[in-house]
């Protein structure tokens, strides 16, 4: 480990670090614009210049590796003069429009100029003007402000894996753009806004709507996918103004998907803000007492076996726990949280978790993906896979999941087709990729929901387990479990953890739909379940509890307005089994209430009052149901055990079409994103319909 002296203090650091990193290790701030710890080194802003003993000229600390015996000075008069000169140079063409810049108050350039710049400029000539670029409906460009730090270019190329940005020209005529004007197609493009240090890239939907000092900031969790990305929700009054990422190295690093960032405008559209009861064929406004009375009357007329409940993809653990307890009190075991019909086995927790953990991808050395398209199902996780892939020695194979071998996952992979029978060949060691998996020390297998949906889902799950065991992808000595399930629903793991599945003799989602359609079920309770086929519910009495007027509300006989994820203190469990909690950022609109509280109030009307009255009590109930809820923010390993259908275990799944990813539209997967005008504009741009419009199209 090299030893070096920084500002008169000798420190010892790991070899391979740069001088800039060594300075930060010593607690010394070095200004920078182009350098970012998650991007390759560019060394083109020169703001990080420092003085090194015996060096003929100042050195760029971001690009200089540490060496033993180095003597670095970071705060000499010479260094301060250099920084002022560089800052003056960078600001030559910057418009200095801080009062009207949407990044004002959060701009790195402002901070650096105040801390290291000078109060005047010697430049008196005309400043350059650069035409703004149209990068789509998410990113607003003011390219005159651009200082060519290339952070956006490096992010698009290295992290997102979509090399659509580049630089043309030389010197001050350099321009950053897409060469041919087009919409950015990355599902992670919004992160460029956070990376831009000078306000050249800002949020187009958020532009000029609020200032940072007007906003209340609440730390929370994203529910647009099952990753559980850590986010910050910024609100003004009762409105969510924007969503930004929070740093969590184990989950999302510092990135979030575009849907997580920009779908928040859907929170104020098509909201349910009061109960409704269907009278004379139409949903009409009602009071809570009237809505509860209508439900109670129907339940009194129905046998317990003729009542069922389905939990949707955005349901929190507290509400699912309350609904499960209520259904048990009524005597019904017809409950299911797998509204897509995925054949997940709740008996063994390791059988439905991402056991390798998200951060564990960094240490893997082979990967087999089955029935999933990670790029659209979990873009941030896909960026992890890409990061591991570009390091090398990481063979990836894909079975199903995408339409063909030409689908761009942003990294190289071997396409094994869509024949589920290939799993049997892998388990038997007859497929060439089986040798790759056996040779790897930490091999991964990722099963997507597309492989588990349909009648052959249980067979596929059993076959995937057989592959893992045959290829030695579980090693207790090094604490590695390579069996992973990639969920698409934020509620799914939590629902399985608390046992929101059919009880003894109970019906699953498919049985509930069949029963409602043929008249064997009288009542179906939908807890935010909007993705099922509503036409199959027949004449059943439907209670819908949710926060948006989506598919479920249109079919319902009674509508109970619930709270969205930004409007409640709720618990979610991500795809790796990590318990995380949202925080109330703003209150639900109108008469809407937290979901568990609605079910608790309904239980009292039905004569089966639940045994908890506040949030701490129901969270105690969660811990009683599953002790794992006692340890939030921890992805505890799950014991390997039996799962899958023993009758079909080892049997070859037959339906290859079932291996296709269930998501074909990244931007609209849930009631919130479907209500978002921003996501609708993204769909228009991606589909090309925007290109066909004329000047008369509004």
């Amino acid at each position: 480990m090299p030893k070096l002296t920084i500002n008169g203090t000798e420190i010892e650091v790991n070899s391979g670090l740069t001088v800039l990193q060594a300075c930060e290790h010593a607690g010394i701030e070095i200004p920078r614009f182009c350098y970012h710890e998650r991007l390759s080194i560019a060394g083109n802003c020169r703001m990080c210049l420092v003085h090194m003993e015996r060096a003929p000229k100042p050195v760029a600390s971001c690009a200089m590796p540490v060496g033993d015996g180095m003597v670095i000075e970071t705060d000499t008069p010479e260094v301060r003069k250099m920084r002022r000169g560089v800052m003056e140079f960078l600001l030559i063409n910057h418009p200095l429009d801080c009062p009207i810049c949407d990044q004002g108050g959060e701009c790195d350039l402002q901070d650096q100029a105040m801390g290291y710049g000078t109060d005047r400029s010697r430049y008196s000539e005309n400043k350059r003007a650069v035409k703004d670029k149209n990068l789509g409906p998410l990113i607003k460009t003011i390219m005159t402000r651009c200082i060519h730090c290339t952070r956006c270019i490096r992010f698009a190329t290295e992290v997102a894996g979509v090399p659509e940005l580049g630089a043309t020209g030389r010197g001050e005529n350099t321009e950053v753009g897409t060469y041919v004007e087009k919409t950015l197609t990355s599902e992670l493009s919004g992160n460029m806004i956070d990376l831009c240090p000078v306000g050249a890239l800002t949020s187009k939907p958020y532009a000029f709507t609020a200032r940072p000092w007007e906003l209340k900031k609440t730390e929370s969790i994203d529910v647009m996918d099952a990753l559980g990305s850590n986010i910050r929700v910024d609100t003004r009054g009762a409105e969510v103004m924007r969503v930004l990422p929070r740093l969590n190295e184990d989950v999302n690093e510092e990135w979030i998907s575009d849907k997580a960032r920009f779908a928040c405008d859907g929170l104020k559209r098509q909201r349910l803000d009061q109960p409704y009861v269907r009278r004379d064929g139409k949903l009409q406004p009602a009071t809570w007492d009237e809505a509860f009375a209508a439900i109670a009357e129907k339940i009194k007329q129905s046998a317990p076996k003729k009542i069922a409940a389905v939990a949707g993809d955005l349901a929190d653990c507290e509400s699912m726990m309350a609904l499960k307890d209520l259904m048990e009190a009524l005597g019904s075991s017809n409950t299911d949280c797998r509204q897509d019909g995925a054949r997940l086995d709740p008996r063994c927790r390791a059988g439905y978790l991402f056991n390798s953990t998200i951060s564990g991808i960094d240490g893997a050395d082979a990967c087999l993906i089955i029935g999933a398209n990670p790029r659209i199902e979990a873009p941030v996780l896909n960026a992890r896979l890409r990061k591991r892939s570009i390091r090398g020695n990481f063979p990836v194979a894909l079975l199903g999941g995408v339409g063909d071998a030409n689908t761009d996952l942003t990294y190289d992979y071997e396409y094994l087709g869509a024949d589920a029978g290939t799993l049997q060949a892998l388990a038997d060691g007859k497929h060439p990729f089986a040798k790759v998996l056996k040779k790897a020390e930490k091999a991964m297998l990722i099963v997507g929901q597309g492989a588990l949906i349909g009648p052959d889902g249980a067979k596929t799950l059993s076959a995937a387990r057989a592959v893992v065991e045959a290829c030695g992808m579980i090693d207790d000595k090094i604490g590695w479990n390579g069996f992973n399930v990639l969920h698409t629903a934020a509620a799914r793991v939590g629902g399985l953890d608390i046992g929101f599945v059919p009880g003894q003799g109970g019906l699953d989602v498919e049985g509930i739909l069949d029963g409602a359609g043929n008249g064997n079920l009288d009542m179906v309770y939908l807890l935010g379940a909007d993705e099922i086929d509503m036409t199959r519910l027949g004449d059943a009495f439907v209670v819908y509890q949710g926060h948006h007027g989506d598919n479920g509300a249109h079919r319902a006989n009674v509508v109970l307005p619930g709270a969205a994820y930004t409007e409640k203190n709720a618990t979610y469990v991500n795809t790796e089994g990590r318990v995380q909690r949202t925080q109330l950022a703003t209150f639900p609109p109108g008469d809407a209430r937290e979901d568990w509280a609605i079910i608790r109030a309904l239980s009292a009307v039905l004569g089966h009052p639940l045994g908890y009255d506040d949030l701490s009590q129901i969270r105690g109930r969660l811990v009683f149901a599953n002790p794992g809820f006692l340890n939030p923010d921890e992805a505890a390993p799950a014991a390997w055990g039996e799962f899958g259908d023993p009758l079909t275990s080892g049997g070859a799944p037959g339906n290859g079409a079932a291996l296709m990813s269930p998501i074909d539209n990244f931007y609209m997967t849930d009631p919130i994103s479907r209500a978002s005008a921003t996501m609708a504009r993204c769909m228009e741009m991606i589909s090309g319909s925007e290109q066909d419009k004329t000047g008369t199209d509004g």
Side-chain angles (χ1 to χ4, degrees):
M1 296 176 63
K3 294 181 179 179
L4 67 161
T5 303
I6 302 177
N7 294 347
T9 303
E10 187 179 76
I11 65 168
E12 187 176 16
V13 298
N14 294 326
S15 57
L17 294 185
T18 64
V19 172
L20 187 150
Q21 292 170 321
C23 290
E24 290 193 335
H25 184 74
I28 300 169
E29 182 185 48
I30 303 293
R32 84 293 302 264
F33 288 114
C34 68
Y35 174 79
H36 192 278
E37 56 271 18
R38 301 190 194 277
L39 304 176
S40 62
I41 294 172
N44 52 10
C45 78
R46 320 309 286 181
M47 195 65 196
C48 66
L49 293 174
V50 296
H51 176 75
M52 185 171 70
E53 190 178 71
R54 296 190 301 272
K57 59 182 180 179
V59 299
S61 60
C62 70
M64 176 63 67
V66 295
D68 197 43
M70 277 185 173
V71 179
I72 305 294
E73 296 289 341
T74 68
D75 197 29
T76 64
E78 181 189 9
V79 171
R80 289 195 291 270
K81 182 181 179 181
M82 289 187 298
R83 289 171 177 170
R84 291 190 183 111
V86 170
M87 181 65 70
E88 186 180 4
F89 179 76
L90 291 175
L91 293 177
I92 279 179
N93 287 308
H94 196 281
L96 303 178
D97 53 353
C98 299
I100 62 168
C101 176
D102 203 45
Q103 214 172 19
E106 299 177 314
C107 181
D108 290 341
L109 182 62
Q110 285 183 322
D111 297 338
Q112 306 276 17
M114 290 295 294
Y116 305 100
T118 184
D119 62 346
R120 66 198 65 198
S121 173
R122 291 166 289 179
Y123 187 80
S124 59
E125 289 81 2
N126 294 329
K127 293 177 179 285
R128 70 166 185 181
V130 181
K131 182 181 178 183
D132 293 340
K133 311 296 191 295
N134 183 11
L135 301 182
L138 302 180
I139 299 178
K140 178 181 176 65
T141 61
I142 307 92
M143 301 311 295
T144 299
R145 300 173 185 163
C146 180
I147 63 168
H148 311 144
C149 72
T150 69
R151 279 188 180 184
C152 56
I153 298 174
R154 284 175 284 151
F155 174 85
T157 304
E158 298 166 10
V159 178
V162 183
E164 297 174 337
L165 280 176
T168 57
R170 293 178 65 87
E172 79 165 3
N173 295 319
T174 300
E175 293 188 20
V176 173
T178 54
Y179 306 112
V180 178
E181 193 167 280
K182 66 184 293 289
T183 299
L184 295 178
T185 58
S186 172
E187 295 81 11
L188 299 168
S189 64
N191 294 289
M192 298 179 195
I193 298 168
D194 301 330
L195 288 173
C196 182
V198 295
L201 305 178
T202 59
S203 173
K204 188 175 286 188
Y206 174 74
F208 309 116
T209 58
R211 288 298 196 185
W213 53 84
E214 301 175 333
L215 305 175
K216 184 184 76 170
K217 302 168 180 62
T218 306
E219 295 184 351
S220 191
I221 302 297
D222 172 58
V223 299
M224 296 293 109
D225 55 32
L227 201 67
S229 298
N230 287 220
I231 59 173
R232 192 188 84 193
V233 180
D234 288 357
T235 57
R236 184 175 63 186
E239 184 177 355
V240 175
M241 304 303 296
R242 64 178 179 178
V243 171
L244 298 176
R246 283 192 296 127
L247 179 67
N248 190 322
E249 297 288 356
D250 293 329
V251 182
N252 59 302
E253 298 180 297
E254 58 187 270
W255 320 124
I256 56 173
S257 71
D258 287 349
K259 186 165 52 179
R261 184 187 297 267
F262 295 109
C264 60
D265 64 328
L267 291 167
K268 59 184 178 183
R269 293 180 173 88
Q270 300 181 20
R271 291 301 303 273
L272 299 173
D273 58 0
Q274 66 182 94
Y276 290 87
V277 176
R278 190 174 296 276
R279 303 188 183 100
D280 302 324
K282 294 183 179 180
L283 286 173
Q284 298 181 10
T287 64
W288 281 105
D289 290 340
E290 291 172 340
F292 287 167
I295 298 171
E297 182 181 356
K298 186 64 180 179
I299 288 179
K300 288 178 182 178
Q301 300 172 0
S302 304
K305 292 184 178 181
K306 292 191 173 185
I307 303 172
V310 180
D313 293 349
L314 304 184
D316 58 274
C317 294
E318 287 88 352
S319 63
M320 287 189 289
M321 189 77 259
L323 184 56
K324 180 177 184 289
D325 288 345
L326 178 59
M327 296 298 291
E328 288 179 352
L330 294 173
S332 174
S333 57
N334 303 322
T335 56
D336 204 351
C337 63
R338 302 161 297 183
Q339 66 168 344
D340 56 2
R343 302 294 200 261
L344 292 161
D345 193 336
R347 294 176 300 166
C348 175
R349 196 165 189 256
Y352 59 81
L353 290 186
F354 202 95
N355 294 285
S356 302
T357 71
I358 299 166
S359 60
I361 295 173
D362 298 341
D365 49 9
C367 184
L368 171 63
I369 304 172
I370 305 168
N373 183 347
R375 178 171 175 178
I376 60 175
E377 294 178 24
V380 177
L381 183 142
N382 194 66
R384 284 264 193 178
L385 289 170
R386 170 175 169 78
K387 182 173 75 170
R388 176 62 188 90
S389 179
I390 60 179
R391 278 171 40 206
N393 298 319
F394 187 63
V396 180
L398 180 62
L399 178 61
V402 298
D404 54 59
N406 297 320
T407 302
D408 184 15
L409 293 184
T410 72
Y411 45 84
D412 295 332
Y413 62 89
E414 179 185 352
Y415 187 60
L416 307 183
D419 184 6
T422 305
L423 286 173
Q424 191 63 47
L426 286 163
D428 295 338
K430 298 177 181 179
H431 195 280
F433 199 76
K435 298 178 181 178
V436 176
L437 296 175
K438 290 179 180 179
K439 185 180 178 182
E441 184 179 356
K442 291 184 175 179
M444 295 177 61
L445 180 144
I446 300 175
V447 183
Q449 299 305 291
L452 305 176
I453 297 172
D456 283 341
K459 290 184 179 181
T460 306
L461 185 64
S462 297
R465 172 184 173 153
V467 172
V468 167
E469 293 177 342
C471 296
M473 298 166 70
I474 299 175
D475 191 341
D476 294 332
K477 294 180 180 179
I478 60 174
W480 179 258
N481 187 336
F483 182 85
N484 303 288
V485 176
L486 178 59
H487 292 274
T488 56
R492 189 65 47 81
V493 176
L496 294 170
D497 278 351
I498 66 173
F500 200 95
V501 292
Q504 187 69 31
L507 302 175
D508 60 7
V509 163
E510 192 66 24
I512 291 171
L513 293 176
D514 288 340
N518 58 33
N520 291 333
L521 288 180
D522 294 338
M523 177 179 164
V524 180
Y525 199 116
L526 301 180
L527 182 60
D530 293 280
E531 315 307 323
I532 61 175
D533 186 358
M534 301 296 169
T535 61
R536 296 180 60 186
L537 292 175
D539 296 327
F541 187 91
V542 177
V543 178
Y544 177 79
Q545 179 178 329
H547 39 76
H548 276 74
D550 206 74
N551 300 327
H554 294 165
R555 171 58 184 83
N557 297 88
V558 176
V559 175
L560 305 177
Y565 73 104
T566 57
E567 300 159 359
K568 56 188 174 184
N569 298 302
T571 303
Y572 290 88
V573 187
N574 77 345
T575 191
E576 59 178 354
R578 187 183 302 271
V579 177
Q580 302 184 111
R581 288 170 177 163
T582 65
Q583 302 295 326
L584 187 146
T586 183
F587 291 98
D591 290 334
R593 297 291 184 266
E594 290 193 13
D595 293 279
W596 78 266
I598 295 173
I599 298 168
R600 171 62 182 86
L602 176 61
S603 71
V605 175
L606 298 178
H608 299 280
L610 301 178
Y612 31 80
D613 298 313
D614 57 36
L615 189 61
S616 62
Q617 289 179 347
I618 190 170
R619 285 184 173 171
R621 174 70 180 94
L622 284 174
V623 173
F624 181 80
N626 190 324
F629 286 98
L630 194 60
N631 302 310
D633 302 318
E634 179 182 320
W640 190 251
E642 294 291 331
F643 62 88
D645 189 348
L647 297 177
T648 59
S649 184
N655 187 5
L659 294 181
M660 293 297 105
S661 172
I663 298 177
D664 56 1
N665 180 358
F666 166 74
Y667 296 102
M668 294 184 179
T669 56
D670 56 81
I672 299 174
S673 57
R674 285 193 287 268
S676 168
T678 303
M679 297 293 98
R681 285 194 290 271
C682 289
M683 281 300 303
E684 287 183 349
M685 295 296 293
I686 297 299
S687 64
S689 58
E690 190 72 22
Q691 312 292 334
D692 301 329
K693 291 185 176 181
T694 67
T696 60
D697 282 282

